[in-house]
Amino acid sequence: MPTISPIKRRPPLIDVTTPSGRSSSFNTGPCSCTAKPLFDASEMAAGRYRLVFDVAAYFRDRSHPLPDPAFLDQVPLDFGIADTDGHYHLPLLVSPWSYSTHRGS
């Protein structure tokens, strides 16, 4: 069954856009992780997705001094799903000055 796994203790996820172009609803817990996978098997479709994380808010909430404006504010992750039977884990490694991601295991 395909899923996209939540990432724990990450910058707040503020928007999810599906291949149809609509924003998807989701709930986050106290660690800014989603309460369940973002998409389950019935919702997965091949196409382009976008997750947007509020990186500046994440560091400000941790009393990390940031310039105004912050170098990174909201970080979009654009990715494609080709295999709707696959498992997709998208770790976000972030600092106030850089970020990276990859398809995790």
Side-chain angles (χ1 to χ4, degrees), residues 3-4 19 44-49 79-86 88 90:
T3 60
I4 296 177
M44 284 294 261
R48 305 290 311 158
Y49 289 79
F79 61 97
I81 299 288
D83 178 7
T84 59
D85 292 325
Y88 294 83
L90 302 169

Side-chain angles (χ1 to χ4, degrees), residues 38-72:
L38 294 177
F39 304 102
D40 63 25
S42 66
E43 298 171 313
M44 284 294 261
R48 305 290 311 158
Y49 289 79
R50 171 176 277 194
L51 307 178
V52 180
F53 295 90
D54 196 347
V55 171
Y58 174 79
F59 287 107
R60 284 189 183 108
D61 288 349
R62 284 153 182 74
S63 300
H64 192 311
L66 295 177
D68 188 18
F71 182 70
L72 294 176

Side-chain angles (χ1 to χ4, degrees), residues 9-44:
R9 295 184 185 93
R10 63 161 182 240
L13 178 61
I14 58 174
D15 189 44
V16 177
T17 305
T18 64
S20 67
R22 71 176 174 82
S23 288
S24 180
S25 62
F26 56 91
N27 295 314
T28 59
C31 66
S32 295
C33 57
T34 54
K36 63 176 187 151
L38 294 177
F39 304 102
D40 63 25
S42 66
E43 298 171 313
M44 284 294 261

